[in-house]
Amino acid sequence: GAVVSQHPSRVICKSGTSVKIECRSLDFQATTMFWYRQFPKQSLMLMATSNEGSKATYEQGVEKDKFLINHASLTLSTLTVTSAHPEDSSFYICSAYFRGTDTQYFGPGTRLTVL
Amino acid sequence: AQSVSQHNHHVILSEAASLELGCNYSYGGTVNLFWYVQYPGQHLQLLLKYFSGDPLVKGIKGFEAEFIKSKFSFNLRKPSVQWSDTAEYFCAVNTNAGKSTFGDGTTLTVKP
């Protein structure tokens, strides 16, 4: 399957700081990427759809000013958690969508811990 | 809005036992269906998918799933599980340009 990378894999930050997570599609150009959040022992919750060259589409209840998404190129989407708080601690996963097969390829995730 | 329900939250089996994980979805239109696996400490991997055609689809590692349209179901099966199948399994439905709705997941523990 296609390879999607995320960086960093793990980050610890202080409350009030901002953290940027990168998601790269290494095998194909992805016009659409998705960002998920996964709590322990729970399913993936879709946060937003990231579209290259346009604004991201956020799911209901997700604060767009807190979770800034930038899809600057066909292979890179970034998620910035602004003014992070302990409740933002979670596992963030991105995926790159390949329209030809209607399949998402997932990154390995980023573990964010806010102290 | 579509939803996905996985009936079994935690399944414990001995090696060589047969496995069936339930998945039901609610959506009236055409859907694409997926099963993903997440091994401990690893990222989600696609096990198998159904778009159209033969409702019995075969995936990797000996897994298969059957789409029953009348029951809105897409159950995952494996005739004989191995200890290495211990993982979290997620059923998902695509309805709109790749946007997926995931079930809550099923934790499978296989005892050696």
Side-chain angles (χ1 to χ4, degrees), chain A residues 88-107:
Chain A
D88 299 324
S89 297
S90 190
F91 196 54
Y92 292 89
I93 302 172
C94 74
S95 72
Y97 174 63
F98 185 57
R99 194 172 298 276
T101 57
D102 191 27
T103 299
Q104 294 181 54
Y105 297 92
F106 288 84

Side-chain angles (χ1 to χ4, degrees), chain B residues 67-80:
Chain B
F67 171 54
I68 303 179
K69 189 175 181 179
S70 61
K71 294 185 178 180
F72 296 90
S73 70
F74 189 55
N75 292 355
L76 180 71
R77 299 195 292 248
K78 185 170 184 178
S80 176

Side-chain angles (χ1 to χ4, degrees), chain A residues 25-42:
Chain A
S25 173
L26 302 180
D27 289 357
F28 64 92
Q29 294 181 328
T31 54
T32 301
M33 290 184 173
F34 297 97
W35 286 96
Y36 296 87
R37 188 170 175 177
Q38 186 180 29
F39 291 99
K41 304 294 184 183
Q42 294 187 29

Side-chain angles (χ1 to χ4, degrees), chain B residues 2-78:
Chain B
Q2 65 271 19
S3 65
V4 178
S5 174
Q6 290 182 239
H7 319 299
N8 319 100
H9 296 292
H10 194 179
V11 173
I12 302 172
L13 296 173
S14 298
E15 277 196 314
S18 64
L19 169 72
E20 180 159 2
L21 301 182
C23 173
N24 285 86
Y25 66 93
S26 66
Y27 185 73
T30 302
V31 295
N32 292 337
L33 299 156
F34 302 79
W35 274 98
Y36 294 93
V37 61
Q38 188 174 30
Y39 296 104
Q42 296 189 27
H43 63 282
L44 266 79
Q45 300 174 42
L46 180 66
L47 265 182
L48 48 79
K49 59 187 178 184
Y50 171 79
F51 288 177
S52 64
D54 189 344
L56 184 63
V57 292
K58 296 191 183 297
I60 61 172
K61 306 186 181 189
F63 286 92
E64 65 179 31
E66 184 175 13
F67 171 54
I68 303 179
K69 189 175 181 179
S70 61
K71 294 185 178 180
F72 296 90
S73 70
F74 189 55
N75 292 355
L76 180 71
R77 299 195 292 248
K78 185 170 184 178

Side-chain angles (χ1 to χ4, degrees), chain A residues 11-114:
Chain A
V11 58
I12 301 173
C13 69
K14 292 182 179 179
S15 187
T17 60
S18 294
V19 174
K20 180 186 282 188
I21 303 170
E22 292 186 348
C23 177
R24 293 183 185 274
S25 173
L26 302 180
D27 289 357
F28 64 92
Q29 294 181 328
T31 54
T32 301
M33 290 184 173
F34 297 97
W35 286 96
Y36 296 87
R37 188 170 175 177
Q38 186 180 29
F39 291 99
K41 304 294 184 183
Q42 294 187 29
S43 187
L44 280 74
M45 182 191 79
L46 179 65
M47 298 175 66
T49 303
S50 172
N51 299 299
E52 189 269 338
S54 65
K55 290 183 180 180
T57 305
Y58 291 82
E59 295 300 300
Q60 193 172 9
V62 178
E63 298 176 61
K64 62 180 181 180
D65 294 329
K66 181 166 188 60
F67 298 99
L68 301 179
I69 291 172
N70 186 345
H71 197 146
S73 76
L74 289 171
T75 58
L76 173 64
S77 176
T78 61
L79 168 68
T80 302
V81 182
T82 62
S83 186
H85 289 107
E87 58 264 30
D88 299 324
S89 297
S90 190
F91 196 54
Y92 292 89
I93 302 172
C94 74
S95 72
Y97 174 63
F98 185 57
R99 194 172 298 276
T101 57
D102 191 27
T103 299
Q104 294 181 54
Y105 297 92
F106 288 84
T110 296
R111 173 77 58 195
L112 170 64
T113 302
V114 184

